[in-house]
Amino acid sequence: MNTPKIYKIKGMHCASCASIIERTVKKIDGVEDISVNNGTENAKIVFDSSKTNAESFNKKLEPLGYSLIAPMDHSMESMSANSMGMSENEHAEHLGLNQSKKEKLEEIKEMKSKVMSAIPLAIFSVFVMTWDILAQYSIAPMMSHPLKEFFHHLLPIFATYTLFVVGKPYLLGFYRFLRYGKANMDTLIGIGTVAAFLYSFAVSAFEETLRPFINVDHTYYDVTIVVITFIALGKYLEARSKIKTGDAIEKLLNLQAKTALVMREGKEVEISINEVKHGDLIIVKPGTKIPVDGVIDEGSSFVDESMVTGEPMPVQKKIGDSVVAGTINTSGSFVFKATKVGSETLLAQIIHMVEEAQGSKAPIQALADEISSVFVPIVLVLAFVTLGVWLAFGTGSLGFSQALSFGLVSFVGILVIACPCALGLATPTAIIVGVGKGAKEGILIKDAATLEKLHKVDTVMMDKTGTITIGKPTLVDIQNSSDMSNEDLIGILATLEKKSEHPIAHAIVNYAKEKNIPIQEVSNFEGIQGKGLKGSVKQIEYFVGNTKLMKDLNLSFDQTLLEEFTSQGKTPVIISTKEKVLGFVMVADEIKPESKEAINALHKLGIKVVMLTGDDEKAAKHIASLVGVDEVVAHVLPQDKLLKIQELQSQGHIVAMAGDGVNDAPALAQADVGIAMGTGTDVAIESAGITLLGGDISKIVKAIKLSKITMRGIKQNLFWAFIYNIVGIPLAAGVFYPIFGWLLNPVFAGFAMAMSSVSVVSNSLRIKSKRL
């Protein structure tokens, strides 16, 4: 079967590059599909490995200036570090782990040194150009002849350095266009600046020969210098910002512990995390990171899980509780048994999911990709047509010299101002930042399409159990009609219930433990089938059970009060002696403290909330009234949830379904957006479009807000990217010259083009600072 592989791309600078790579690789026999992401600079390729491989891809791509870096096999890394006699870091280097990041930083460093060398030349050129313009309007004195001659010979030297050293990528873009017919943004800049340079060089070299035909006093060396400097500066700022957009992955990787303290042959041994096996007993001391997933075997502590779940408060962990890799033990020591290691851990799954989501494409990107794929050829044609129009129609009224001058300015201006980069970066940079921010908050987004769809949701359906409620029985009410204190009554009740395996019994015993109520010894314990139990505490016989047991004992109790509680979805547990009822407690699936606030927040976003439950209608409606749910669907089976979603969708609603991700799988798949409420290591990450770690319902609100913020950022980016091109290209072409006398200097075109990409990436980075 063909499996997708993700490759890092070297040499990619714009959306047109993405389009060239996709078209080139798609033509290779054995390639089923390819998707190139301009934001992450990754290519996801589905291919038949028996027909082709990465070498074949690189053979086709390298002449065009691109290369694919082979994907990292994480399983290979964990298996073979020791067998190769290397340390973990050496092995990572050997495999190329983090290499692309290092190479990117090296590339940025090189870009910076070139930009810094070109900036003084650009400042000098702008100074000369400004003086020249001001002198024409008598604002500044005219340059003396020796000074003019000095500048006349100095600017060609500056322009030669700028074009052939700083502008080398653009020259290569021009060369590849001539040789292979493939054009990208570098090609546009290359043709524009080479045209300005060659025209100026011809004027300088053959000044006297050309004087009768054209104005030889005006050259465009300054255009070559300033345009290349601006664009190189823009590319440097863009590359620096793009590294910041993907820092969520790096932060997640940094959560991973490097070593583990393991019990081996009765001794504590510190080993590399790659050597940890299933079943290993691992010691965790205060302030250290938990290395792998597992279950506590001995001891207890409070664990800070904020980096994985986004929850700020440390969580109490005791024997039998699950712990997750990457979380920090705050106080106390404990020993746990490793259950998941390497790529099985929750942290590894989160990293994989975030990487996949950041590399995926949102449907809104399709239009930008379509435009980017034909953008460069159209701009090239437009530039040559504009030059031809200036020469054909301008010569009569302006004279050949002036028409050529204006035509050349327009030709260079169009090539320079056209910015496919801004279009190509508009969506992926916002998606990368949005997905990363979500991961930080414990909101895992499966792909960009889900993030886009979520902002349109107008109805949220949620399970009562485990979503609105805690999902396990807890003691919520005590009605004491005896002479004993509540503590003593609960103490006797818990003493009797500790022998029972029923979930309601566990709720009572847990309540007693939480309140530090002592549990005593019980004798003559006996279960009464379908009714309850009995036993003696301190020689007194007690009965615990339901109303049937009390009726069998001929004891009277407040039937009306019990029915009232029962209608609220609570289960009564009555305690009595043979003579009289001592009181009763109510056990229920308690509402989560954040549920009411979260449902209110959903209402403020204009979203309808529907609660699904298998309970009877009366009990469901009581809970719904407490939290403010709009609609209740009671007595539902899993297949009924699916039908309810279909019914709402047929009415034109965009439905999100929040469930536990296991028994709700069909409903989660049917919903426009499936939201799995995950807790700890039991999280079913692959079962839904969005997974909320920690099972916190308020994260549904945060996820929807994140989607709205990200989509707003994308729309702003696309708007500005289109505006730059829609306004800039006609202005550069001289469309407004006959009406207003406006003609855009290529220097300003270069500045606008450079700033377009920087502004798009900067706008995406703003998503990081938004409060959810």
Side-chain angles (χ1 to χ4, degrees):
M1 196 180 94
N2 298 347
T3 51
K5 283 194 176 180
I6 295 172
Y7 296 87
K8 202 81 188 157
I9 304 166
K10 263 183 81 177
M12 186 167 130
H13 301 113
C14 67
S16 304
C17 298
S19 177
I20 290 167
I21 293 163
E22 283 182 354
R23 287 202 301 267
T24 306
V25 174
K26 249 179 200 164
K27 287 176 187 170
I28 298 170
D29 184 40
V31 173
E32 191 181 298
D33 190 38
I34 175 171
S35 173
V36 175
N37 188 296
N38 187 29
T40 56
E41 294 177 12
N42 283 344
K44 189 176 184 178
I45 309 174
V46 183
F47 64 95
D48 183 345
S49 52
S50 64
K51 289 183 180 177
T52 189
N53 54 31
E55 278 179 37
S56 311
F57 306 151
N58 277 335
K59 260 183 203 168
K60 293 281 185 185
L61 292 173
E62 279 169 1
L64 306 178
Y66 313 109
S67 61
L68 301 180
I69 299 166
M72 235 286 298
D73 186 343
H74 292 276
S75 59
M76 180 176 75
E77 179 207 4
S78 57
M79 284 191 306
S80 57
N82 298 326
S83 61
M84 292 173 76
M86 294 181 182
S87 75
E88 187 186 350
N89 288 342
E90 285 169 340
H91 191 238
E93 288 290 324
H94 173 72
L95 289 171
L97 224 182
N98 298 329
Q99 207 132 310
S100 55
K101 172 85 185 269
K102 278 185 184 172
E103 283 176 0
K104 198 74 194 164
L105 289 170
E106 280 300 316
E107 195 182 313
I108 288 169
K109 197 175 169 186
E110 192 184 330
M111 285 165 91
K112 186 182 178 181
S113 67
K114 283 183 178 177
V115 167
M116 295 316 276
S117 70
I119 284 173
L121 310 185
I123 291 169
F124 180 80
S125 303
V126 170
F127 167 72
V128 174
M129 185 168 55
T130 309
W131 189 351
D132 200 27
I133 292 166
L134 294 176
Q136 285 174 29
Y137 292 98
S138 305
I139 298 168
M142 293 295 284
M143 284 186 210
S144 64
H145 185 70
L147 193 61
K148 200 166 188 178
E149 280 299 303
F150 173 69
F151 290 154
H152 189 65
H153 291 95
L154 188 63
L155 283 177
I157 298 166
F158 285 178
T160 305
Y161 169 80
T162 309
L163 181 64
F164 290 95
V165 178
V166 183
K168 189 182 172 186
Y170 313 122
L171 288 176
L172 288 171
F174 186 17
Y175 163 74
R176 289 183 189 116
F177 171 64
L178 294 174
R179 180 152 184 201
Y180 303 106
K182 303 284 186 188
N184 62 8
M185 191 216 77
D186 290 353
T187 312
L188 297 181
I189 307 301
I191 293 172
T193 51
V194 164
F197 181 83
L198 290 179
Y199 172 85
S200 305
F201 183 76
V203 167
S204 301
F206 308 104
E207 192 172 337
E208 294 310 316
T209 313
L210 294 171
R211 192 177 289 278
F213 308 102
I214 58 172
N215 178 6
V216 293
D217 295 328
H218 201 76
T219 59
Y220 295 103
Y221 290 123
D222 49 6
V223 168
T224 304
I225 297 163
V226 179
V227 164
I228 286 176
T229 304
F230 271 147
I231 285 162
L233 176 64
K235 285 274 142 209
Y236 162 67
L237 294 173
E238 178 195 317
R240 213 176 63 166
S241 299
K242 268 169 83 176
I243 280 222
K244 287 180 193 166
T245 62
D247 62 4
I249 290 276
E250 198 178 345
K251 283 177 183 168
L252 286 168
L253 285 165
N254 288 340
L255 294 179
Q256 184 65 68
K258 300 284 183 285
T259 59
L261 196 60
V262 181
M263 289 296 290
R264 291 273 163 95
E265 296 169 7
K267 290 179 186 172
E268 290 183 13
V269 185
E270 189 168 11
I271 60 168
S272 162
I273 193 164
N274 297 327
E275 295 174 49
V276 177
K277 300 187 188 82
H278 290 106
D280 269 345
L281 289 174
I282 298 165
I283 300 117
V284 182
K285 295 188 173 174
T288 59
K289 281 181 185 174
I290 292 166
V292 294
D293 292 2
V295 176
I296 294 182
D297 201 55
E298 185 187 312
S300 65
S301 184
F302 281 86
V303 174
D304 179 1
E305 296 184 333
S306 61
M307 57 288 295
V308 175
T309 64
E311 302 299 327
M313 293 296 291
V315 181
Q316 188 176 14
K317 299 284 180 180
K318 49 193 186 300
I319 293 168
D321 286 345
S322 298
V323 288
V324 175
T327 55
I328 297 169
N329 178 28
T330 58
S331 60
S333 297
F334 60 87
V335 176
F336 77 95
K337 186 182 279 186
T339 57
K340 289 179 182 176
V341 298
S343 60
E344 305 165 345
T345 66
L346 176 64
L347 182 61
Q349 288 180 62
I350 291 170
I351 291 166
H352 174 70
M353 192 173 180
V354 172
E355 278 177 337
E356 286 281 310
Q358 288 188 338
S360 64
K361 288 187 181 183
I364 197 170
Q365 195 177 333
L367 176 65
D369 283 352
E370 283 293 313
I371 293 167
S372 297
S373 66
V374 294
F375 189 89
V376 172
I378 287 171
V379 168
L380 267 173
V381 169
L382 197 62
F384 281 104
V385 167
T386 303
L387 178 60
V389 168
W390 272 109
L391 291 173
F393 297 98
T395 304
S397 55
L398 300 169
F400 177 75
S401 176
Q402 190 72 348
L404 177 62
S405 180
F406 282 177
L408 190 66
V409 164
S410 297
F411 176 79
V412 176
I414 288 172
L415 293 176
V416 169
I417 203 166
C419 37
C421 287
L423 273 176
L425 291 168
T427 305
T429 51
I431 292 289
I432 291 165
V433 177
V435 167
K437 187 175 176 68
K440 209 174 165 189
E441 297 276 353
I443 301 162
L444 300 184
I445 296 152
K446 198 171 187 178
D447 53 39
T450 302
L451 189 62
E452 181 178 331
K453 230 182 277 174
L454 189 59
H455 90 288
K456 295 176 184 170
V457 163
D458 59 15
T459 307
V460 172
M461 287 179 69
M462 52 180 79
D463 246 356
K464 178 192 75 105
T465 308
T467 306
I468 292 173
T469 62
I470 288 166
K472 61 179 182 181
T474 50
L475 196 153
V476 293
D477 213 331
I478 303 167
Q479 296 289 324
N480 187 350
S481 54
S482 72
D483 301 330
M484 287 185 270
S485 67
N486 283 356
E487 284 75 15
D488 289 343
L489 185 71
I490 296 295
I492 293 163
L493 193 53
T495 299
L496 294 158
E497 291 284 18
K498 76 171 180 184
K499 291 271 189 182
S500 170
E501 288 302 313
H502 197 283
I504 288 175
H506 290 310
I508 293 164
V509 173
N510 287 342
Y511 180 86
K513 284 179 180 173
E514 281 167 21
K515 301 290 179 188
N516 294 318
I517 297 168
I519 292 173
Q520 300 158 53
E521 287 301 312
V522 63
S523 58
N524 305 320
F525 178 85
E526 189 186 322
I528 304 164
Q529 186 68 39
K531 293 173 187 176
L533 53 87
K534 65 176 182 177
S536 299
V537 179
K538 292 182 180 174
Q539 279 80 49
I540 300 170
E541 190 176 37
Y542 294 98
F543 295 83
V544 175
N546 55 23
T547 52
K548 285 180 189 171
L549 180 60
M550 296 305 124
K551 282 172 184 171
D552 288 353
L553 293 167
N554 292 319
L555 297 176
S556 61
F557 53 89
D558 191 337
Q559 184 77 40
T560 315
L561 185 61
L562 282 182
E563 281 172 5
E564 189 188 319
F565 279 120
T566 308
S567 71
Q568 295 170 9
K570 296 173 182 176
T571 304
V573 178
I574 307 168
I575 179 166
S576 74
T577 59
K578 254 186 179 166
E579 293 78 34
K580 63 170 185 169
V581 170
L582 301 174
F584 58 85
V585 295
M586 286 294 165
V587 174
D589 185 2
E590 199 178 1
I591 292 168
K592 288 180 181 177
E594 68 272 10
S595 291
K596 188 173 183 180
E597 200 180 319
I599 289 163
N600 275 342
L602 287 171
H603 286 152
K604 282 178 188 168
L605 291 171
I607 293 166
K608 178 184 176 183
V609 181
V610 180
M611 185 180 86
L612 306 170
T613 178
D615 292 353
D616 71 275
E617 202 161 339
K618 205 173 177 186
K621 280 188 172 167
H622 173 74
I623 285 174
S625 68
L626 293 176
V627 292
V629 163
D630 300 297
E631 189 185 333
V632 174
V633 184
H635 300 296
V636 287
L637 298 167
Q639 58 267 34
D640 299 330
K641 294 176 186 179
L642 188 74
L643 294 170
K644 182 65 185 173
I645 291 169
Q646 287 171 339
E647 181 196 318
L648 286 164
Q649 286 171 330
S650 68
Q651 292 165 11
H653 291 289
I654 310 290
V655 183
M657 165 72 191
D660 60 16
V662 183
N663 65 357
D664 291 324
L668 289 171
Q670 176 62 40
D672 295 286
V673 179
I675 302 171
M677 306 293 291
T679 49
T681 49
D682 303 325
V683 54
I685 279 184
E686 291 301 317
S687 66
I690 289 176
T691 302
L692 306 180
L693 297 176
D696 183 349
I697 188 177
S698 63
K699 284 183 185 169
I700 296 176
V701 183
K702 285 186 174 182
I704 293 169
K705 281 184 180 172
L706 177 66
S707 173
K708 287 182 185 290
I709 290 165
T710 306
M711 289 312 297
R712 199 180 305 129
I714 289 170
K715 284 170 185 173
Q716 286 166 352
N717 286 351
L718 287 170
F719 171 78
W720 285 113
F722 278 114
I723 285 293
Y724 272 115
N725 289 299
I726 290 164
V727 174
I729 291 172
L731 187 60
V735 169
F736 302 109
Y737 184 78
I739 311 160
F740 305 109
W742 294 350
L743 193 62
L744 188 70
N745 187 310
V747 166
F748 296 110
F751 177 76
M753 191 271 156
M755 289 306 105
S756 66
S757 297
V758 174
S759 63
V760 160
V761 178
S762 302
N763 191 45
S764 294
L765 286 169
R766 280 175 57 236
I767 295 168
K768 276 186 181 182
S769 61
K770 298 281 185 185
R771 279 194 65 192
L772 295 181

